[in-house]
């Protein structure tokens, strides 16, 4: 393949694409807005699924490296009622298909697998335009430009490449996370640590839930989920950590103290993470020389599939380009025709469709029915 691939965004999807291309001897350049690999924290834990994310890592030749960073025991899962009663407790016996890793460590594996200089740091895309005959120009905030005959937008929710293909823009999904951390949990926050257990814990209720992970180094990472409009959150001053914590915890008045401690006893200021989505079934007509992957293509509210789908997109696009090195358009058409339906499939857990956060079925007992295969 004689056309170098230009990838915008060094997230998991873009890096998986670059790695799979490298495995097949196809050069690529990745442009990333962040100034360095360590410029910011890379988020919490990810469960990498055996039916998509792990298949992508297999295509990238990185399964052994992946297995080396898996956090043992973290597939343990608990469901608690709002009064703290443990309704469900499934131990990690090592046979589950969703091993947990730290996102930052997974990203580093991908970075380490690429030739030096593949990623151009400090290149924030601010726009892209069509030059004709399948060629495009990307403009960066540092004043430089890149012209390419094969452009891939792996640049997330607010993609600067997407407008070349689609007029769609993300809209608020109706839910938001409020993130908190508890450090040295077993010694400093023993009741909360006991409630969470050795892996993940969820305490659901219609319109709200508390979800927590036990990460590495005895850290509890909590995602408080609330189905509230944006103006409800806008009325909270998140620059005042104490006031924001108090307001969020009010939504869980009457819940068990070991659960609300995950909010009120946080060792970091609460961080608001609003969720956005692209229109359901988002797709576009084929435009020569450009495509999208991951959130740039099919942004959805967090559902456990986003990172896995992005990596699968990257791997499948890389394989399609390797299979059709002299026919880019055939490769892109093949990739998109498979990606569109894959990205719109309902989220299924152990054979049951997962209820939405604002559903009346978002309860501990309904979740347990689903986990036990009794959901529909």
């Amino acid at each position: 393949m004689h056309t170098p691939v230009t990838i915008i965004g060094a997230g998991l999807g873009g890096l998986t694409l670059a790695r799979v291309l490298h495995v097949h001897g196809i050069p690529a350049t990745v442009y990333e807005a962040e100034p360095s690999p360590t410029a910011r924290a890379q988020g919490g834990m990810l469960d990498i699924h055996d039916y998509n994310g792990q298949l992508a890592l297999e295509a990238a030749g990185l399964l052994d490296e992946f297995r080396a960073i898996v956090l043992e025991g973290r597939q343990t899962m608990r469901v608690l009622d709002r009064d703290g009663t443990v309704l469900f407790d499934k131990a990690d016996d090592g046979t589950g298909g969703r091993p947990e890793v730290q996102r930052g460590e997974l990203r580093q594996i991908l970075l380490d697998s690429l030739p030096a200089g593949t990623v151009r740091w400090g290149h924030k895309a601010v726009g892209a335009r069509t030059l004709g005959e399948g060629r495009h120009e990307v403009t960066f905030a540092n004043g430089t430009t890149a012209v390419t005959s094969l452009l891939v937008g792996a640049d997330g929710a607010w993609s600067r490449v997407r407008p070349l293909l689609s007029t769609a823009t993300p809209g608020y999904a109706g839910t938001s996370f409020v993130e908190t951390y508890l450090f040295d949990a077993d010694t400093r926050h023993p009741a909360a640590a006991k409630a969470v257990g050795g892996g993940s814990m969820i305490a659901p209720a219609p319109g709200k839930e508390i979800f927590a992970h036990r990460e590495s180094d005895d850290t509890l990472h909590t995602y408080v989920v609330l189905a509230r409009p944006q103006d409800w959150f806008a009325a909270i001053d998140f620059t005042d950590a104490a006031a924001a914590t108090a307001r969020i915890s009010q939504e869980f008045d009457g819940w068990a103290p070991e659960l609300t401690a995950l909010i009120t006893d946080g060792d970091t200021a609460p961080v608001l993470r609003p969720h956005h989505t692209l229109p359901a079934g988002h797709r576009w007509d084929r435009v020569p020389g450009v495509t999208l992957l991951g959130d740039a293509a099919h942004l959805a509210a967090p559902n456990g599939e986003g990172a896995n789908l992005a990596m699968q997109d990257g791997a499948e696009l890389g394989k399609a380009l390797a299979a059709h090195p002299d026919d880019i358009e055939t490769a892109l058409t093949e990739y998109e025709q498979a990606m569109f339906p894959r990205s719109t499939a309902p989220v299924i857990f152990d054979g049951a469709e997962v209820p939405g956060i604002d559903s009346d079925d978002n309860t501990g007992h309904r979740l347990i029915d689903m986990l036990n295969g009794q959901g529909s």
Side-chain angles (χ1 to χ4, degrees):
M1 184 172 177
H2 304 294
T3 301
V5 183
T6 298
I7 304 166
I8 308 300
L12 297 178
L15 293 175
T16 300
L17 171 58
R19 168 61 184 179
V20 172
L21 291 173
H22 176 62
V23 166
H24 290 280
I26 299 172
T29 300
V30 183
Y31 292 93
E32 168 56 41
E34 294 174 8
S36 75
T38 58
R40 68 176 180 90
Q42 293 299 312
M45 291 208 306
L46 295 172
D47 50 321
I48 304 302
H49 307 158
D50 53 11
Y51 52 87
N52 47 21
Q54 289 182 50
L55 297 180
L57 289 165
E58 183 178 20
L62 295 173
L63 273 181
D64 287 344
E65 290 84 349
F66 163 72
R67 292 184 180 120
I69 64 167
V70 168
L71 291 168
E72 298 299 331
R74 297 312 198 278
Q75 290 187 81
T76 297
M77 184 176 184
R78 316 185 91 194
V79 179
L80 270 62
D81 208 344
R82 65 184 74 192
D83 65 1
T85 302
V86 178
L87 302 174
F88 180 89
D89 195 355
K90 182 178 181 180
D92 182 357
D93 62 3
T95 64
R98 299 166 176 255
E100 301 270 359
V101 298
Q102 296 284 157
R103 180 190 287 266
E105 293 184 5
L106 181 58
R107 188 196 197 205
Q108 194 60 51
I109 283 173
L110 289 162
L111 287 170
D112 290 344
S113 74
L114 297 172
T118 298
V119 180
R120 308 281 177 86
W121 302 97
H123 283 72
K124 178 180 175 60
V126 294
R129 66 188 183 107
T130 300
L131 301 177
E133 298 181 345
R135 297 167 70 247
H136 295 88
E137 179 185 69
V138 181
T139 302
F140 301 101
N142 61 13
T144 63
T145 60
V147 175
T148 180
S149 296
L150 180 43
L151 176 63
V152 181
D155 49 342
W158 310 103
S159 171
R160 298 295 185 170
V161 178
R162 188 192 300 123
L164 296 172
L165 293 159
S166 168
T167 59
T169 56
Y172 181 57
T175 60
S176 294
F177 281 157
V178 178
E179 278 187 273
T180 62
Y181 284 88
L182 272 62
F183 303 129
D184 302 319
D186 286 322
T187 53
R188 298 180 58 244
H189 308 283
K194 182 179 178 181
V196 173
S200 63
M201 181 280 299
I202 183 169
K208 66 184 74 174
E209 64 190 33
I210 299 174
F211 179 80
H213 266 139
R214 181 178 290 270
E215 296 190 350
S216 55
D217 300 322
D218 196 17
T219 294
L220 300 182
H221 186 180
T222 300
Y223 302 87
V224 177
V225 194
L226 290 168
R228 300 287 186 275
Q230 281 186 296
D231 57 7
W232 187 90
F233 289 103
I236 301 172
D237 181 6
F238 279 88
T239 65
D240 184 338
T245 297
R247 182 65 190 89
I248 296 300
S249 66
Q250 282 180 23
E251 297 303 298
F252 298 88
D253 186 42
W255 287 44
E258 62 269 31
L259 293 175
T260 56
L262 293 163
I263 307 168
T264 59
D265 295 357
D267 292 314
T268 57
V271 176
L272 177 64
R273 308 276 190 202
H275 302 152
H276 293 83
T277 65
L278 284 167
H282 176 242
R283 57 182 61 204
W284 53 87
D285 295 329
R286 177 91 292 282
V287 173
V290 59
T291 193
L292 306 172
L293 63 77
D295 284 350
H298 44 73
L299 177 67
N303 56 22
E305 295 292 350
N308 286 277
L309 282 175
M311 294 168 67
Q312 186 177 22
D313 288 351
E316 293 301 314
L317 177 54
K319 290 192 294 184
L321 291 168
H324 305 283
D326 299 316
D327 191 346
I328 291 172
E329 287 310 300
T330 293
L332 297 186
T333 298
E334 181 181 286
Y335 158 71
E336 290 178 354
Q337 286 179 347
M339 181 267 290
F340 289 141
R342 180 173 68 233
S343 64
T344 57
V347 179
I348 302 296
F349 192 96
D350 287 354
E353 188 170 344
V354 178
I357 181 70
D358 55 353
S359 166
D360 289 340
D361 286 333
N362 193 56
T363 65
H365 293 287
R366 177 67 178 83
L367 179 59
I368 292 166
D369 287 344
M370 185 187 75
L371 294 171
N372 288 330
Q374 299 168 23
S376 59

